[in-house]
Amino acid sequence: VSVGVQDFLDKTPEGRSFYAAVTYRLGQVGDYNSDVPGELTIGMGSRRYRRGAFVGFMLPFADQLRILGEYDTNKITAGFEIRPIRGLAIRTLFQSDQTFWSLSYSVKF
């Protein structure tokens, strides 16, 4: 379960949005990535999620490299994520005519 805010400073045309989502981990079968589950995320949000819902996926090629995608009833976003160390994620995402980069650090407890 995750909750969050996109565009916290309210600087983009879409404006500040709040969201809540549930992620399901899906087991992988194979010799090389069976210890890294795929993920399916379903959620709801405000403002930029005009119709409220979104769905996303993450498919690992290895523990350090993943392919990502999201559909929010308005646009499709796809990209890659590299995880060089535990908790650190570097993403590049492609959306129509735009490219986004992000850096995040997560702690799970």
Side-chain angles (χ1 to χ4, degrees), residues 47-58:
R47 281 186 101 172
R48 79 173 39 193
Y49 306 103
R50 289 183 180 95
R51 295 189 182 112
F54 61 90
V55 63
F57 75 91
M58 183 278 301

Side-chain angles (χ1 to χ4, degrees), residues 12-29:
T12 64
E14 292 90 1
R16 184 179 303 120
S17 300
F18 298 91
Y19 67 89
V22 175
T23 299
Y24 301 94
R25 290 187 166 208
L26 310 166
Q28 299 280 352
V29 177

